[in-house]
């Protein structure tokens, strides 16, 4: 697994690559003979860009799994402007799932726009939250934050209910940790880890403030070994057969 930029991660499975919420950043060289699945959780500029359609020039086995709040017209116009054949796009919304040869994906809701992604692959469970978070702002009415938290908890309960026997833990969760929230930046990740069984969690949506991960562990040392800070773009991690993540320096 490699952190690309902002909320974008690249996950390599034995038979495929999964690229989440890519809109900028340097990608490593991939094997063009291996399928590439590109996910976009919603239409915000920091989660989706038409630049993803350029990838099909280099990686012909590319499939796109896009939240249905992303305008189809925008995608068609971008592809036409690039002069490439229309790619395979699977539109997704909460409650929809697709099964591919290498994995199964199910969409869950968000407390902002679009979806979050739950993926089962080879006995492992992955979750990319998109903008699913407890967006608790300091400058809004308390009732609004209470409503936000209730929506967040409801979505986490839906997620818990979907984890089935034998795959009842998320092996890898990618969760927003936004410094714009001030003191509330850690609230959503902590609530997620309190309510959903997670083996390993990684932060995203940090707006390049990479000190946030270590600050989180200083405040919540009980999650050391579960929560893994990100220190820079391009940082790589490997999940071993023992279920432990190691950072590749």
């Amino acid at each position: 697994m490699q952190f690309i930029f902002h909320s974008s991660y690249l996950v390599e499975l034995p038979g495929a690559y999964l690229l989440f919420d890519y809109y900028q950043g340097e990608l490593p060289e991939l094997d063009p003979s291996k399928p590439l699945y590109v996910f976009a959780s919603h239409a915000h500029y920091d989660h989706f860009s038409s630049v993803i359609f350029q990838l099909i020039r280099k990686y012909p086995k590319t499939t796109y799994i896009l939240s249905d709040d992303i305008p189809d017209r925008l995608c068609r116009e971008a592809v036409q402007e690039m002069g490439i054949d229309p790619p395979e796009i699977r539109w997704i919304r909460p409650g929809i799932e697709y099964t591919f040869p290498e994995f199964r994906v199910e969409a869950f809701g968000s407390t902002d726009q679009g979806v979050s992604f739950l993926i089962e692959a080879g006995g492992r469970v992955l979750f990319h939250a998109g903008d699913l978070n407890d967006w608790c702002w300091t400058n809004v009415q308390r009732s609004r934050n209470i409503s936000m938290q209730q929506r967040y908890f409801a979505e986490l309960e839906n997620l818990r209910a979907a984890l089935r026997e034998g795959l009842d833990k998320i092996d890898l969760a990618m969760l927003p940790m936004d410094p714009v929230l001030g003191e509330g930046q850690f609230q959503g990740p902590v609530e997620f880890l309190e309510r959903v069984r997670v083996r390993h969690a990684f932060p995203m949506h940090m707006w390049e403030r990479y000190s946030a991960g270590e600050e989180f562990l200083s405040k919540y040392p009980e999650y050391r070994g579960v929560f893994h800070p990100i220190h820079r773009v391009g940082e790589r991690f490997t999940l071993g057969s023992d279920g432990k993540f190691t950072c590749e320096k």
Side-chain angles (χ1 to χ4, degrees):
M1 182 183 79
Q2 184 169 351
F3 175 67
I4 304 301
F5 186 77
H6 193 56
S7 293
S8 181
Y9 278 89
L10 176 71
V11 177
E12 183 175 3
L13 304 176
Y17 299 102
L18 312 180
L19 178 61
F20 296 94
D21 282 12
Y22 178 75
Y23 76 104
Q24 72 176 67
E26 184 177 352
L27 294 175
E29 286 295 319
L30 308 179
D31 180 354
S33 68
K34 199 170 181 177
L36 169 64
Y37 295 88
V38 180
F39 298 77
S41 63
H42 60 290
H44 286 167
Y45 82 91
D46 59 323
H47 294 261
F48 168 78
S49 168
S50 60
V51 71
I52 60 175
F53 298 118
Q54 295 280 9
L55 294 170
I56 205 165
R57 296 183 188 276
K58 193 170 184 179
Y59 305 110
K61 295 183 177 180
T62 300
T63 299
Y64 297 89
I65 303 167
L66 308 181
S67 170
D68 69 357
D69 72 308
I70 297 170
D72 175 57
R73 173 188 54 78
L74 185 154
C75 297
R76 285 187 282 106
E77 289 176 355
V79 167
Q80 186 176 15
E81 186 175 317
M82 293 174 191
I84 59 178
D85 292 333
E88 181 180 358
I89 298 178
R90 302 288 185 94
W91 299 99
I92 199 165
R93 62 182 183 274
I96 297 297
E97 63 179 77
Y98 292 111
T99 299
F100 298 95
E102 304 85 5
F103 64 92
R104 182 184 73 88
V105 57
E106 182 177 358
F108 286 80
S110 174
T111 45
D112 196 344
Q113 288 188 13
V115 300
S116 49
F117 298 107
L118 183 70
I119 292 168
E120 292 183 18
R124 305 280 193 187
V125 181
L126 290 71
F127 183 74
H128 187 282
D131 265 358
L132 173 64
N133 191 23
D134 188 350
W135 298 103
C136 183
W137 300 92
T138 57
N139 59 345
V140 301
Q141 290 184 338
R142 183 171 179 269
S143 60
R144 185 268 181 199
N145 284 338
I146 291 173
S147 175
M148 168 62 66
Q149 186 179 64
Q150 290 172 342
R151 288 172 54 207
Y152 185 56
F153 287 174
E155 201 57 50
L156 296 188
E157 188 57 38
N158 291 339
L159 186 59
R160 274 168 39 99
L163 295 172
R164 57 189 175 83
E165 187 176 354
L167 293 173
D168 58 346
K169 267 190 178 181
I170 294 175
D171 293 284
L172 166 58
M174 295 158 272
L175 307 175
M177 184 176 286
D178 196 320
V180 178
L181 294 175
E183 294 181 0
Q185 66 179 308
F186 301 148
Q187 183 167 315
V190 167
E191 291 167 343
F192 193 102
L193 295 174
E194 286 176 343
R195 287 163 176 78
V196 182
R197 288 159 56 87
V198 176
R199 287 191 171 91
H200 301 282
F202 291 80
M204 61 185 189
H205 215 289
M206 296 169 289
W207 298 109
E208 300 183 81
R209 187 176 175 274
Y210 299 120
S211 61
E214 295 293 351
E215 292 170 12
F216 177 87
L217 287 179
S218 294
K219 190 170 184 178
Y220 300 98
E222 62 270 29
Y223 292 117
R224 194 171 296 277
V226 173
F227 179 86
H228 305 275
I230 291 293
H231 304 95
R232 56 180 173 80
V233 296
E235 196 163 10
R236 302 171 70 100
F237 298 84
T238 300
L239 179 60
S241 58
D242 58 359
K244 293 182 180 180
F245 267 100
T246 57
C247 178
E248 300 177 21
K249 301 295 184 182

